[in-house]
Amino acid sequence: MTLSTISGWGNYPKQKSQLLTPPSQDELKAIIIKENGLIARGMGRSYGDSANAPKVLRTTFYDHFIEFDEVTGRLTAEAGITLREILGVIVPKGWFLPVTPGTSYVTLGGAIASDVHGKNHHIAGTFGQHVNSMIMVLGTGEVVTVSPSSYGDLFHATCGGMGLTGVIISATIQLIPIRSSLIKQKTIKADCIEDVCEAFENNINVTYSVAWIDCLAKGKRLGRSILILGEHAKSGSLDLVIKDPISVPLNAPTALLNYLTMKTFNSAYWHGAKHNQNRLVPLMPYFYPLDAIGSWNKMYGKAGFLQYQFVIPKAGGVANMRRLLEEIAKTGLGSFLAVLKQFSNANKNLLSFPTEGYTLALDFKLTETTIKTLHRLDELIVEMGGRVYLTKDAVMQEATFKATYHNWEVFESVRKNYGAIGKFSSEQSKRLGLA
Amino acid sequence: MKKVLIIGATSAIADHCARIWAARGYELFLVARNEERLQTILADLKVRGAVKVNKFCVDINCIDQHVELLNSAESTMSGVDIVLLAHGTLSNQESCEQSVEETMGEIQTNALSTISLLTLIANRFETRKLGTIAVISSVAGDRGRASNYVYGSAKAMVTVFTSGLRQRLFKSNVSVVTVKPGFVDTPMTADFKKGLLWVKPSLIANKIVRAVDRRRSEIYAPAFWFLVMIIIKIVPMWIFKRMRRF
């Protein structure tokens, strides 16, 4: 038995793990029946330990298209295919993903298990809301077709269920039509957190909106941001240029990313942006700017980093966001990149992250104080009635999880009914006190 | 539009080559043993843009079916421009050492079946004075090592055979491309500990397709294996035989 060292995209925590690569569905079933404590793992792009386990099932070889109806935009594919592969086929035919996260290097199954959201959450909701059906292998080895109308409880537990309900083999999703592969982008500069939240509200009908936020600015300028709006262009070509990324071959020296360099970068970025600028940008760099650099995670050095994304309710959200930003600025940790977004209502998926309010995503270099700082922020977020995104989490405590993901007990009962308990678990699920 | 025959079409490397050719709109004829997986790949290639894809299910060790297989490919596509031989199994060295039957079986799959196909294909292409034959050999065939010399010697036979065939067919305008991959992360190598030298099958496929386009003779994939193998080959035998099993 060979063990390999694996970790999530944040390179923390690391784990010695046996990688299982069943070449066919029959062998996959046999492994699931025989082994315990498994978790499916695709591209390993969730940041923390949600795809870490002593035994992982690699799904990246299940990466075949099954059917694509170019007339209706209905796509069926195996769960290990990446969104990047899907884009290469669908965009030239005039279709696009209904919801996409900030990287195209995630698998279809991973996007469902994390119930990912994108810049259009306020309009389109999460990825799971566009899944018509999926085929899963349960802990019993049974293969079932799951949709909102058949095995509905299992469907809503699996979308956002972090791989803890079974293994997704394939899924059918409904794509959205586009007439061009270009995006009409508009940037708006906002001087403080109050201004940017107001700008989100004023642009609630725009399809895509997200704000880059300078989380190192203090006082009057706290929360100064650049709101980036986007719409699919109505005409133009459907050509798609997918370039191979430039790679960061080695871990950067840890000292490279420090308070000073981050402050300089953030400040330069803010001053460099133009207010009310309109331009046409290609789809790939618009949705996936960081995909241009392979392994950008190595910029944080060998120790790795922690991603932290939380949502707080809309009521009192602006004042609470100011308080949290102040708290973050006080720690001096600093985040190289911080992203703010407005969410609309939550969906029916049991562990899905988004709820109505404001969400902020940050990344922090891993140091001794980072984890303590995050636990302190967790406390504030619990108080404010918010929650933290499981896909990015590596350090959340059980009590925090159970206090903020109110459906966790229902989730556990669904897992129990479908033979998932004991079969499927990750380092994250153990930390969060799931059976 | 070219017509490609792929033997061992369910192998991860062949699958990725087929995807590139499908996206170019080529016509494909897939041969493999596992019907279900062959069907999965066939459907996938259609979505990726292949004009036509057909399949033929056979155990490649049934050498008496090779003529029928080639006839079927030629008549279905009305001709073949490119052949990719990608079938194979990764031998379990230790159990081969204990079993004549298993050793012979591995040589049969990884060398003899390929030799049979090459003999038939070479004659057809030679008559037409056109075509490209790409064969997946391995860096393991460059020098026998204790850890995998059964697999290695089968691949050595393929390398030497294709070298001779290339020389013979050169004047007939038929090119023979020998591909020597290093460590590739596929289901076939699932049980190996993966390190820095390991690459994805899509990368190897890119290199194979480019080598076919350019009618190259012999390629190491990735290219650094050329240097690695030079070093392994120049170690004097009196030292080599004393080295730890690797």
Side-chain angles (χ1 to χ4, degrees):
Chain A
M1 191 177 79
T2 340
L3 295 179
S4 302
T5 304
I6 57 166
S7 67
W9 189 242
N11 286 326
Y12 172 86
K14 295 183 171 66
Q15 161 136 39
K16 291 255 185 232
S17 174
Q18 188 189 356
L19 308 183
L20 304 166
T21 312
S24 69
Q25 217 184 90
D26 286 340
E27 278 154 288
L28 172 68
K29 268 188 266 175
I31 290 179
I32 290 175
I33 290 166
K34 190 174 133 227
E35 308 276 4
N36 285 310
L38 293 163
I39 196 79
R41 181 182 174 90
M43 294 293 282
R45 285 280 175 143
S46 55
Y47 287 81
D49 49 1
S50 53
N52 287 9
K55 287 172 190 156
V56 304
L57 281 164
R58 298 178 73 199
T59 61
T60 42
F61 294 108
Y62 303 120
D63 61 344
H64 299 97
F65 288 101
I66 295 170
E67 208 180 350
F68 174 36
D69 187 329
E70 293 175 26
V71 179
T72 62
R74 189 177 283 230
L75 176 89
T76 307
E78 290 182 323
I81 198 165
T82 61
L83 300 187
R84 201 175 181 82
E85 289 269 305
I86 292 177
L87 291 168
V89 166
I90 63 170
V91 171
K93 306 277 184 199
W95 295 96
F96 190 62
L97 297 165
V99 166
T100 178
T103 171
S104 59
Y105 289 108
V106 295
T107 63
L108 177 58
I112 296 170
S114 286
D115 201 17
V116 295
H117 57 270
K119 300 173 182 179
N120 57 350
H121 182 270
H122 57 289
I123 286 175
T126 64
F127 196 89
Q129 289 167 247
H130 305 270
V131 174
N132 294 341
S133 66
M134 51 197 168
I135 298 177
M136 294 178 64
V137 184
L138 305 181
T140 54
E142 194 187 344
V143 179
V144 289
T145 303
V146 179
S147 71
S149 55
S150 136
Y151 294 99
D153 53 346
L154 183 56
F155 181 87
H156 292 297
T158 302
C159 294
M162 305 308 286
L164 298 168
T165 56
V167 177
I168 306 169
I169 298 290
S170 66
T172 301
I173 58 172
Q174 179 59 51
L175 304 171
I176 55 164
I178 51 170
R179 285 189 230 154
S180 159
S181 60
L182 293 173
I183 298 289
K184 251 170 53 189
Q185 177 184 298
K186 182 178 179 183
T187 47
I188 293 173
K189 275 174 103 167
D191 292 323
C192 60
I193 186 70
E194 288 77 11
D195 283 5
V196 68
C197 290
E198 194 186 321
F200 268 115
E201 204 55 52
N202 294 339
N203 291 284
I204 200 79
N205 295 322
V206 178
T207 310
Y208 299 106
S209 61
V210 69
W212 165 86
I213 183 167
D214 179 358
C215 66
L216 295 169
K218 289 179 191 163
K220 216 170 59 185
R221 292 198 296 258
L222 184 98
R224 66 175 177 187
S225 318
I226 300 164
L227 177 64
I228 305 163
L229 304 171
E231 291 285 358
H232 290 285
K234 296 231 160 49
S235 61
S237 91
L238 287 166
D239 292 345
L240 184 72
V241 182
I242 298 189
K243 286 188 201 141
D244 283 340
I246 311 160
S247 68
V248 178
L250 295 169
N251 286 314
T254 328
L256 214 63
L257 273 187
N258 56 37
Y259 190 75
L260 197 69
T261 55
M262 283 192 288
K263 181 124 182 141
T264 313
F265 171 82
N266 277 267
S267 192
Y269 192 85
W270 199 81
H271 288 290
K274 289 201 184 87
H275 185 57
N276 257 336
Q277 189 194 40
N278 286 291
R279 54 191 197 123
L280 279 172
V281 293
L283 192 149
M284 293 306 281
Y286 176 82
F287 286 104
Y288 316 107
L290 282 171
D291 283 358
I293 310 160
S295 351
W296 60 263
N297 54 346
K298 288 184 184 160
M299 298 215 293
Y300 284 89
K302 209 173 174 179
F305 68 104
L306 293 170
Q307 258 265 350
Y308 190 67
Q309 183 174 357
F310 61 82
V311 60
I312 50 172
K314 198 167 173 190
V318 182
N320 280 335
M321 191 58 89
R322 173 169 277 275
R323 184 161 164 225
L324 287 163
L325 284 168
E326 273 165 358
E327 202 59 43
I328 293 161
K330 235 194 297 179
T331 65
L333 271 179
S335 167
F336 195 65
L337 214 66
V339 172
L340 180 72
K341 159 111 202 98
Q342 188 172 345
F343 279 156
S344 71
N345 295 335
N347 59 29
K348 283 200 256 172
N349 302 332
L350 297 174
L351 293 192
S352 186
F353 165 65
T355 53
E356 190 182 22
Y358 298 103
T359 179
L360 182 69
L362 307 145
D363 33 45
F364 297 117
K365 189 160 83 178
L366 191 79
T367 63
E368 279 165 31
T369 55
T370 322
I371 297 176
K372 270 195 215 137
T373 308
L374 295 190
H375 285 160
R376 205 166 57 240
L377 289 175
D378 279 350
E379 282 171 27
L380 288 174
I381 287 157
V382 174
E383 243 174 67
M384 294 173 185
R387 55 162 74 145
V388 172
Y389 193 9
L390 296 178
T391 300
K392 303 195 170 178
D393 154 61
V395 298
M396 196 197 302
Q397 287 161 323
E398 180 177 343
T400 308
F401 168 70
K402 291 185 173 171
T404 54
Y405 282 85
H406 308 293
N407 288 321
W408 75 270
E409 279 161 306
V410 187
F411 179 73
E412 286 293 76
S413 70
V414 175
R415 288 181 69 216
K416 189 160 177 262
N417 289 345
Y418 293 100
I421 293 196
K423 271 294 167 200
F424 304 107
S425 62
S426 62
E427 293 307 297
Q428 181 184 49
S429 73
K430 287 186 228 165
R431 175 165 48 78
L432 300 179
L434 294 169
Chain B
M1 187 197 75
K2 297 226 163 96
K3 298 155 184 173
V4 191
L5 163 63
I6 303 176
I7 317 268
T10 53
S11 97
I13 293 175
D15 187 1
H16 281 271
C17 290
R19 291 176 185 188
I20 300 171
W21 285 321
R24 289 183 182 181
Y26 286 13
E27 183 171 352
L28 302 164
F29 191 91
L30 313 176
V31 180
R33 191 174 33 168
N34 187 318
E35 172 96 54
E36 190 192 321
R37 290 178 57 211
L38 204 47
Q39 185 53 43
T40 302
I41 289 169
L42 187 144
D44 173 73
L45 295 172
K46 279 191 177 158
V47 173
R48 289 175 195 266
V51 179
K52 270 198 232 157
V53 198
N54 281 287
K55 63 182 202 296
F56 189 99
C57 212
V58 66
D59 182 344
I60 211 67
N61 282 330
C62 301
I63 285 180
D64 55 355
Q65 291 191 40
H66 286 186
V67 171
E68 188 195 331
L69 176 174
L70 293 175
N71 286 344
S72 170
E74 282 192 333
S75 64
T76 309
M77 298 193 288
S78 38
V80 175
D81 302 307
I82 299 165
V83 181
L84 172 65
L85 298 182
H87 66 279
T89 51
L90 190 61
S91 321
N92 181 332
Q93 175 66 28
E94 274 153 36
S95 59
C96 279
E97 285 165 16
Q98 303 306 319
S99 160
V100 173
E101 196 187 345
E102 190 171 336
T103 301
M104 293 302 156
E106 291 297 331
I107 302 277
Q108 170 72 34
T109 309
N110 291 304
L112 301 182
S113 68
T114 306
I115 302 296
S116 159
L117 286 162
L118 283 172
T119 303
L120 297 168
I121 296 162
N123 292 341
R124 294 177 188 218
F125 278 16
E126 192 177 36
T127 324
R128 284 179 27 212
K129 299 205 179 304
L130 200 68
T132 302
I133 306 167
V135 186
I136 298 183
S137 183
S138 169
V139 294
D142 279 12
R143 189 167 194 179
R145 290 175 293 118
S147 64
N148 70 346
Y149 64 83
V150 173
Y151 179 75
S153 57
K155 288 301 191 184
M157 186 171 183
V158 170
T159 300
V160 173
F161 191 93
T162 49
S163 165
L165 195 64
R166 178 178 308 114
Q167 206 178 26
R168 173 188 145 199
L169 296 178
F170 178 73
K171 60 176 188 306
S172 306
N173 193 31
V174 175
S175 54
V176 179
V177 186
T178 309
V179 182
K180 295 181 182 174
F183 298 146
V184 192
D185 183 7
T186 68
M188 185 171 97
T189 56
D191 296 336
F192 285 73
K193 191 181 166 80
K194 312 291 189 296
L196 265 182
L197 298 177
W198 289 78
V199 297
K200 291 200 180 102
S202 55
L203 185 135
I204 303 292
N206 274 320
K207 299 202 178 289
I208 292 173
V209 170
R210 214 166 61 172
V212 168
D213 288 342
R214 296 179 181 183
R215 302 171 68 106
R216 292 276 302 276
S217 299
E218 198 173 89
I219 62 158
Y220 285 83
F224 67 77
W225 281 98
F226 176 68
L227 290 173
V228 175
M229 294 321 292
I230 282 184
I231 294 163
I232 289 178
K233 282 188 283 191
I234 61 170
V235 177
M237 196 52 99
W238 65 274
I239 298 176
F240 193 78
K241 69 180 179 190
R242 288 177 171 81
M243 284 169 79
R244 190 168 57 86
R245 185 182 172 111
F246 75 99

